[in-house]
């Protein structure tokens, strides 16, 4: 972005005057394309360098000059005295909440009667009971009012929000010194949608991707600058610490607990608040992934807040709302260094004011490039639900989804799932690939220690072409040559991530911190996941070596392995919705057109065999390897998680009814991975990241490989045990040594067939001997700790837990059977 002209007013490149929006590009002029993007924020005047301009800017905000007044806002009225009190009264008086309070009072009265505190044979029993009910309901009402006050967003003062906008923009645009960029076409479309929604008194529900705390800050800044009503943002109460918590609550945050437990009052209160917001047409924002992605790619959807939104609609309490998926991309994410330590097993540090202030001051000296925000075309939630119900039922009009039943619960769950993955797909479709992601992807998908400047440029140029060919978007920088864009990206990443060796024939770049750089590589993987799975499946033959004919793979074998890997990574990636057969055919044809593979067909035109194309072999397999390198770390992580399950076989002489804490088992898997990496049996250190291991365990649970028992009691941790049909065997004649055989071992071997081979890993007998020995050692420690007299963990199931588990396993098997999905 070009330097600001000090003679101009400090208005950003998107200038909003009343109902009009005018584009004012300053950096460059180029032919308009469908993805035109304009810098929305820029560095404001700084007090030391431009004191008069600084004071002028502050006065403009204090007085509310022009667009800074935030008066002609598109959306419902907010920022007036009494807003919070009015909202609180609307929530606590909601019929849904009042019914719940009455039900809780009834339960308490039943307990008191049972305990003998209220006796039916007493005089005036009815009167006493009524008086007692009034007291109980009053107490619950008081608790509900306090909970509501602590939770709701408090849009009270326009002066406050003007000052907050200025203060936050100062911080953000100093860290992201090249500003926030948006698509002019998308924001114009969003404004038109907002105008219609305002007339219909409908809410726009923003569902952004979540990689950084900056996500919700940038959304609020954009809405303010565009003159849109600010959304109420769902935020975890871990950020509600002194001073900062109050500031955020007055700027748009609604605080919710990280876990609701068995608190039905609190659950109903959240539902009542969301109902009220949507009924009144206030904009709303929550993160579809739940927490921030520590890996760079989209996480699986979390259905907590979505279920509240859907319930508002299905119950008839809300007529409609507008869904707007949002993608937020960064040149560099502020928190990535902290993410790496968390993924390596260091416990997350609780947020506090001291860290916030010290972090805020360090932000001022950062140069992190720019933020790109993209808005998918908004869509009607009511229309989407109606379309889905038509697919589910032949007579959707007869469905009574406001009635509690197992059938309705199943329908709601299916609606939630399809909606969640649709939103993720929409986010991926509008996401922009940043220069840092291009650089990180290329550096981590090349063989060798480093890459020369010319080769780096060539591969980035190839990758840009592939991204666009796949329908993706690449952030553009006007007429700037690619070399300048790459230099800029390298500068933003810094020497801590990408090193350079000077004094050679040409500058040679290498990955310094592969783990942290993988965050940026993962920002592109969604575009190539189909090609990556096909390439990894072909690798089962390619790695055998020999001539082209020897490395060919039959279509049926390829299809089975692609199906297996797709099922394995079902919770890890977002796949195209065309179905396996169509998607596989499309992917293979695409790879053939790119001269990566060669297809042999029979007389009917059906694909019979797949092999590497001669052109790809001549090029040293560089494009084929690219796709393999994208997926190999994830394959290794799943392999590691599966191997760690072998250690959950009870040691010789130990009963098989011992349950191990899930978190401890996952920590042990991570320790095993670190050991195997340093001993040469694991190629990728990023394979030990906690997030991917947790996802693997989740898939194993879904497939019935392990059983996991969870409780809503915060003092009791989830526990697991291997399902009996997957239990590894031991050699009783050799002191109970784990045997490399059986269903689980075959599963491990199938994953391993697509793992990378090379000098960084020793294969053969080491996996079935030394790796299993390490696994068994770590597993034995888990059982020893669990059964120790000093252990406070529950190692056995209660009768109630056993019954619940049996029901859950039966229900899960039925669900998988009805869905007709592939099994691992």
């Amino acid at each position: 972005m070009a330097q600001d002209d000090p003679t101009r007013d400090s208005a950003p490149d998107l200038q909003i005057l009343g109902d009009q929006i005018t584009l004012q590009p300053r950096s460059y002029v180029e032919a308009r394309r469908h993805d035109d993007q304009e810098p929305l924020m820029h560095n404001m005047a700084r007090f030391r360098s431009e004191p008069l301009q600084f004071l002028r800017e502050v006065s403009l905000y204090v007085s509310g000059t022009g667009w800074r007044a935030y008066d002609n806002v598109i959306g419902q009225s907010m920022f007036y005295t009494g807003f919070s009190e009015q909202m609180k009264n609307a929530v606590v008086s909601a019929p849904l909440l009042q019914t719940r309070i009455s039900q809780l009072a009834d339960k308490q009265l039943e307990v008191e009667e049972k305990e003998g505190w209220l006796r039916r044979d007493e005089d005036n029993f009815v009167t006493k009971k009524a008086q007692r009910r009034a007291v109980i309901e009053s107490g619950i009402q008081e608790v509900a009012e306090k909970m509501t006050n602590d939770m709701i967003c408090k849009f009270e003062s326009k002066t406050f929000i003007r000052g907050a906008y200025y203060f936050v923009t100062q911080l953000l645009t100093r860290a992201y010194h090249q500003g926030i960029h948006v698509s002019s076409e998308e924001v114009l479309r969003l404004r038109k949608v907002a105008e219609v929604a305002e007339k219909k008194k409908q809410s726009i529900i923003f569902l952004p991707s979540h990689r950084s705390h900056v996500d919700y800050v940038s959304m609020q800044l954009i809405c303010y600058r565009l003159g849109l009503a600010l959304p109420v943002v769902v935020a975890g109460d871990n950020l509600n610490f002194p001073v900062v918590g109050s500031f955020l609550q007055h700027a748009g945050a609604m605080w919710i607990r990280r876990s609701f437990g068995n608190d039905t009052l609190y659950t109903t209160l959240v539902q009542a608040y969301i109902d009220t917001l949507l009924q009144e047409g206030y904009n709303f924002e929550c993160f579809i992934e739940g927490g921030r992605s520590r890996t760079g790619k989209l996480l699986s959807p979390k259905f907590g807040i979505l279920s509240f939104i859907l319930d508002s609609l299905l119950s008839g309490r809300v007529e409609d709302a507008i869904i707007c998926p949002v993608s937020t991309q960064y040149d560099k994410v502020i928190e990535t260094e902290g993410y790496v330590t968390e993924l390596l097993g260091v416990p997350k540090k609780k947020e506090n004011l001291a860290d916030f202030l010290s972090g805020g001051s360090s932000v001022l000296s950062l140069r992190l490039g720019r933020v790109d925000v993209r808005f998918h075309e908004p869509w009607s939630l009511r229309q989407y639900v109606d379309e889905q119900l038509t697919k589910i039922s032949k007579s959707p009009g007869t469905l009574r989804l406001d009635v509690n039943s197992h059938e309705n619960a199943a329908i709601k769950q299916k609606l939630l799932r399809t909606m969640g993955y649709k939103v993720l797909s929409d986010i991926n479709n509008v996401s922009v690939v940043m220069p840092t992601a291009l650089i990180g992807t290329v550096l981590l998908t090349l063989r060798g220690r480093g890459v020369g400047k010319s080769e780096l440029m060539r591969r980035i140029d190839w990758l840009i072409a592939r991204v666009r060919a796949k329908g993706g978007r690449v952030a553009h920088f006007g007429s700037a040559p690619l070399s300048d864009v790459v230099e800029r990206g390298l500068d933003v990443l810094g020497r801590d991530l990408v090193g350079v060796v000077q004094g050679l024939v040409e500058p040679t770049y290498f990955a310094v911190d592969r783990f942290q750089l993988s965050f940026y590589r993962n920002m592109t993987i969604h575009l190539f996941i189909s090609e990556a799975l096909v390439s990894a499946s072909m690798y089962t033959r390619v790695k055998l070596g020999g001539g082209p004919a020897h490395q060919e793979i039959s279509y049926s074998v390829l299809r089975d392995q692609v199906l297996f890997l797709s099922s394995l990574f079902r919770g890890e990636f977002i796949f195209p919705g065309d179905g396996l057969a169509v998607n596989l055919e499309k992917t293979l044809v695409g790879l053939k057109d790119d001269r990566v593979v060669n297809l042999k067909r029979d007389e009917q035109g059906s694909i019979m065999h797949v092999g590497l194309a001669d052109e790809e072999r001549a090029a040293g397999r560089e494009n084929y390897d690219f796709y393999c390198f994208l997926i190999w770390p994830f394959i290794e992580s799943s392999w590691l998680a599966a191997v760690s399950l072998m250690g959950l076989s009870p040691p010789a002489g130990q009963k098989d009814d011992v349950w191990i804490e899930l978190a401890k088992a996952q920590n042990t898997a991570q320790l095993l991975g670190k050991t195997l990496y340093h001993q040469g049996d694991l190629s990728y250190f990023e394979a030990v990241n906690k997030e991917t291991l947790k996802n693997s365990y989740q898939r194993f649970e879904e497939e019935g490989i392990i059983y996991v028992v969870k409780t809503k009691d915060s003092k009791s941790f989830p526990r697991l045990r291997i399902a009996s049909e997957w239990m590894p065997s031991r050699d009783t004649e050799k002191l109970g040594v784990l045997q490399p055989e059986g269903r689980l071992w075959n599963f491990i071997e199938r994953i391993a067939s697509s793992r990378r081979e090379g000098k960084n890993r020793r294969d053969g007998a080491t996996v079935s001997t030394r790796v299993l020995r390490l696994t068994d050692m770590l597993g034995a420690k888990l059982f020893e700790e669990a059964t120790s007299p000093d252990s406070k963990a529950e190692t056995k199931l209660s009768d109630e837990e056993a019954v619940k588990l049996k029901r859950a396993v039966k229900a899960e098997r039925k669900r998988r059977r009805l869905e007709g999905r592939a099994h691992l």
Side-chain angles (χ1 to χ4, degrees):
M1 197 169 71
Q3 293 294 318
D4 292 339
D5 182 354
T7 64
R8 292 186 55 170
D9 183 78
S10 61
D13 292 8
L14 276 176
Q15 185 177 23
I16 301 171
L17 297 173
D19 293 332
Q20 301 298 314
I21 180 167
T22 307
L23 298 179
Q24 296 181 321
R26 287 188 278 160
S27 312
Y28 51 81
V29 178
E30 65 172 0
R32 291 289 184 217
R33 304 189 316 185
H34 73 277
D35 62 342
D36 282 346
Q37 48 193 10
E38 305 291 346
L40 182 64
M41 300 290 172
H42 59 85
N43 287 307
M44 293 187 172
R46 300 184 182 184
F47 180 70
R48 292 178 183 175
S49 58
E50 300 175 277
L52 294 179
Q53 179 71 357
F54 172 83
L55 293 172
R56 177 176 176 271
E57 284 181 359
V58 172
S59 67
L60 290 174
Y61 279 90
V62 172
S63 60
T65 302
W67 58 266
R68 301 167 188 81
Y70 199 57
D71 285 335
N72 300 317
V73 177
I74 303 173
Q76 304 307 312
S77 177
M78 54 176 62
F79 291 110
Y80 56 85
T81 303
F83 173 87
S84 303
E85 191 65 27
Q86 184 177 321
M87 180 62 68
K88 184 176 77 172
N89 291 337
V91 173
V92 296
S93 63
L96 185 72
L97 181 61
Q98 290 302 311
T99 300
R100 177 65 70 194
I101 289 174
S102 181
Q103 290 171 349
L104 291 172
D106 286 340
K107 287 185 177 181
Q108 180 61 30
L109 288 171
E110 287 177 13
V111 170
E112 293 185 4
E113 281 190 55
K114 190 175 181 180
E115 296 293 332
W117 299 339
L118 280 174
R119 297 176 58 183
R120 288 184 174 272
D121 56 358
E122 284 186 332
D123 295 337
N124 301 323
F125 168 75
V126 174
T127 303
K128 288 182 178 180
K129 185 175 181 179
Q131 291 173 343
R132 180 59 183 154
R133 168 185 285 279
V135 171
I136 294 171
E137 288 185 346
S138 175
I140 298 174
Q141 182 82 11
E142 192 175 321
V143 171
E145 288 178 6
K146 184 178 186 311
M147 284 181 173
T148 305
N149 188 64
D150 292 342
M151 176 175 61
I152 63 171
C153 158
K154 298 179 178 178
F155 284 141
E156 287 280 335
S157 169
K158 198 165 287 187
T159 303
F160 168 82
I161 205 64
R162 290 173 190 158
Y165 175 87
Y166 179 77
F167 170 72
V168 174
T169 303
Q170 282 279 326
L171 288 177
L172 190 68
T173 56
R174 292 188 188 190
Y176 289 97
H177 62 293
Q178 292 173 330
I180 298 175
H181 286 236
V182 295
S183 161
S184 56
E185 179 184 347
E186 290 170 5
V187 297
L188 286 168
R189 179 178 63 200
L190 180 60
R191 278 177 60 89
K192 289 178 181 177
V193 169
E195 288 168 356
V196 174
E198 179 187 24
K199 292 174 183 175
K200 293 183 178 180
K201 205 176 181 181
Q202 291 177 352
S203 303
I204 298 177
I205 301 175
F206 295 101
L207 298 176
S209 55
H210 198 17
R211 290 189 174 94
S212 169
H213 284 315
V214 176
D215 294 336
Y216 37 74
V217 175
S218 60
M219 269 296 300
Q220 297 295 80
L221 293 181
I222 290 170
C223 287
Y224 186 99
R225 188 63 189 86
L226 294 178
L228 301 177
L230 297 186
V232 174
V233 186
V234 177
D237 60 4
N238 57 305
L239 293 175
N240 188 12
F241 47 89
V243 181
V244 173
S246 177
F247 177 89
L248 295 176
Q249 194 172 20
H250 284 80
M254 65 166 280
W255 301 118
I256 62 166
R257 300 173 187 169
R258 305 299 284 181
S259 174
F260 292 6
N262 288 315
D263 195 336
T264 54
L265 176 63
Y266 187 78
T267 303
T268 307
L269 195 60
V270 172
Q271 181 69 70
Y273 184 34
I274 292 175
D275 284 352
T276 304
L277 290 171
L278 301 186
Q279 287 164 357
E280 297 301 319
Y282 291 107
N283 292 342
F284 189 68
E285 178 185 347
C286 69
F287 296 103
I288 185 73
E289 303 162 273
R292 290 169 292 163
S293 170
R294 268 73 171 167
T295 61
K297 65 178 186 61
L298 286 180
L299 304 177
S300 297
K302 298 298 184 292
F303 303 119
I305 298 299
L306 274 190
S307 67
F308 287 115
I309 294 171
L310 195 61
D311 192 68
S312 296
L313 193 85
L314 295 177
S315 66
R317 295 190 298 271
V318 172
E319 180 57 34
D320 197 5
I322 307 301
I323 301 295
C324 183
V326 182
S327 167
T328 308
Q329 301 290 336
Y330 300 84
D331 268 330
K332 193 172 185 180
V333 173
I334 292 176
E335 300 99 324
T336 47
E337 214 171 307
Y339 291 165
V340 170
T341 58
E342 286 181 40
L343 292 174
L344 287 175
V346 178
K348 180 184 174 185
K349 191 175 181 181
K350 187 176 180 181
E351 283 83 0
N352 59 72
L353 181 59
D355 286 347
F356 177 83
L357 293 176
S358 62
S361 62
S362 64
V363 161
L364 297 178
S365 61
L366 296 176
R367 293 176 65 81
L368 302 176
R370 82 186 202 192
V371 183
D372 271 73
V373 181
R374 294 291 176 268
F375 299 91
H376 190 276
E377 183 175 0
W379 40 272
S380 161
L381 179 57
R382 170 64 66 187
Q383 183 179 340
Y384 175 77
V385 167
D386 289 345
E387 288 172 357
Q388 294 303 310
L389 290 177
T390 302
K391 295 177 183 178
I392 294 172
S393 173
K394 293 180 180 178
S395 305
T398 62
L399 292 174
R400 289 289 309 280
L401 294 176
D402 56 332
V403 178
N404 289 326
S405 68
H406 292 298
E407 291 77 11
N408 283 348
I411 290 173
K412 288 179 182 178
Q413 194 61 36
K414 190 164 187 178
L415 283 173
L416 272 176
R417 186 175 183 83
T418 54
M419 178 182 167
Y421 280 98
K422 172 179 167 50
V423 170
L424 291 183
S425 179
D426 287 349
I427 290 172
N428 273 338
N429 288 341
V430 295
S431 291
V432 170
V433 178
M434 307 298 285
T436 48
L438 295 170
I439 294 168
T441 301
V442 168
L443 285 176
L444 295 185
T445 53
L446 291 173
R447 295 185 184 273
R449 294 189 185 93
V451 60
K453 179 72 175 289
S454 58
E455 179 65 5
L456 177 64
M457 295 292 297
R458 185 181 74 84
R459 291 304 293 172
I460 288 177
D461 199 37
W462 174 86
L463 180 55
I464 289 172
R466 294 308 310 139
V467 168
R468 287 176 176 157
K470 292 287 292 182
R473 304 179 180 187
V474 179
H476 64 83
F477 293 81
S479 57
L482 180 61
S483 58
D484 289 355
V485 176
V486 172
E487 283 293 342
R488 172 191 165 283
L490 289 168
D491 182 56
V492 169
L493 287 171
R495 296 296 172 85
D496 291 340
L497 268 69
V498 180
V500 59
V501 182
Q502 302 285 3
L504 305 178
V505 176
E506 64 174 338
T508 300
Y509 299 90
F510 62 95
V512 176
D513 188 340
R514 296 184 65 91
F515 204 119
Q516 192 172 163
L517 207 57
S518 69
F519 183 93
Y520 300 95
R521 175 204 62 204
N522 290 343
M523 291 180 176
T524 64
I525 193 170
H526 67 278
L527 292 165
F528 308 110
I529 186 59
S530 297
E531 290 81 358
L533 292 180
V534 167
S535 299
S537 298
M538 288 178 62
Y539 190 68
T540 59
R541 294 291 301 178
V542 171
K543 70 178 179 181
L544 299 178
H550 189 63
Q551 291 185 334
E552 279 187 356
I553 185 171
S554 71
Y555 178 80
S556 60
V557 173
L558 175 67
R559 182 185 182 281
D560 287 347
Q561 186 68 3
V562 170
L563 180 62
F564 171 76
L565 292 177
S566 299
S567 181
L568 183 68
F569 294 124
R570 187 182 298 157
E572 195 73 57
F573 301 108
I574 314 303
F575 297 106
D578 301 328
L580 178 67
V582 173
N583 187 48
L584 180 55
E585 173 85 16
K586 191 184 298 183
T587 302
L588 288 172
V589 169
L591 288 170
K592 179 182 182 297
D593 292 343
D594 292 337
R595 299 180 180 180
V596 176
V597 303
N598 182 45
L599 306 179
K600 290 184 178 179
R601 298 178 182 268
D602 62 13
E603 294 178 354
Q604 287 73 40
S606 300
I607 300 173
M608 299 302 293
H609 290 87
V610 182
L612 288 175
D614 292 339
E615 294 91 339
E616 183 64 17
R617 291 179 181 279
R621 275 179 20 190
E622 63 177 4
N623 297 337
Y624 170 79
D625 283 351
F626 167 83
Y627 297 123
C628 287
F629 275 114
L630 283 178
I631 197 69
W632 270 336
F634 293 92
I635 291 175
E636 281 228 308
S637 193
S638 291
W639 175 85
L640 171 62
V643 167
S644 72
L645 295 185
M646 295 289 288
L648 297 181
S649 172
Q654 177 72 59
K655 293 182 178 180
D656 62 359
D657 61 348
V658 175
W659 290 72
I660 304 296
E661 283 188 24
L662 177 61
K664 289 185 177 180
Q666 292 171 347
N667 291 340
T668 297
Q670 190 170 48
L671 178 58
L672 173 65
K674 291 177 181 178
T675 306
L676 295 180
Y677 174 79
H678 288 292
Q679 293 184 359
D681 291 304
L682 207 64
S683 297
Y684 300 97
F685 194 50
E686 58 261 43
V688 308
N689 93 68
K690 208 167 190 176
E691 199 69 45
T692 311
L693 287 172
K694 284 172 68 175
N695 288 343
S696 295
Y697 270 71
Q698 177 66 35
R699 283 296 295 126
F700 300 159
E701 180 190 356
E702 290 170 358
E703 291 297 323
I705 300 174
I706 57 176
Y707 296 145
V708 177
V709 174
K710 300 171 184 175
T711 175
K712 291 185 177 181
D713 183 0
S714 59
K715 295 180 181 179
S716 182
F717 300 103
R719 292 161 286 159
L720 86 161
R721 181 171 69 83
I722 298 183
S724 56
E725 59 268 32
W726 288 85
M727 187 70 72
S729 61
R730 293 182 177 275
D731 189 338
T732 54
E733 296 181 1
K734 295 182 180 179
L735 302 176
V737 175
L738 276 175
Q739 295 297 292
E741 60 186 28
R743 190 175 181 184
L744 179 57
W745 180 254
N746 293 338
F747 174 65
I748 292 168
E749 288 284 86
R750 187 160 191 189
I751 299 174
S753 67
S754 288
R755 286 179 74 206
R756 179 188 180 188
E757 287 192 339
K759 62 183 180 180
N760 292 331
R761 204 183 81 242
R762 295 186 291 274
D763 287 312
T766 58
V767 176
S768 58
T769 55
R770 191 165 53 77
V771 171
L772 276 188
R773 179 179 60 81
L774 290 172
T775 305
D776 203 11
M777 285 172 54
L778 291 170
K781 287 183 180 179
L782 282 175
F783 280 95
E784 183 181 342
E785 291 175 7
T787 56
S788 168
D790 299 330
S791 174
K792 296 180 181 179
E794 292 289 338
T795 60
K796 294 186 178 181
L797 298 187
S798 65
D799 292 340
E800 182 182 356
E801 286 175 328
V803 170
K804 283 184 179 179
L805 175 65
K806 190 174 181 179
R807 288 175 182 167
V809 170
K810 187 177 180 181
E812 184 64 26
R813 286 175 178 169
K814 183 180 179 182
R815 181 187 65 79
R816 292 204 304 269
R817 189 169 62 251
L818 290 173
E819 286 181 348
R821 287 185 168 186
H823 296 261
L824 293 176

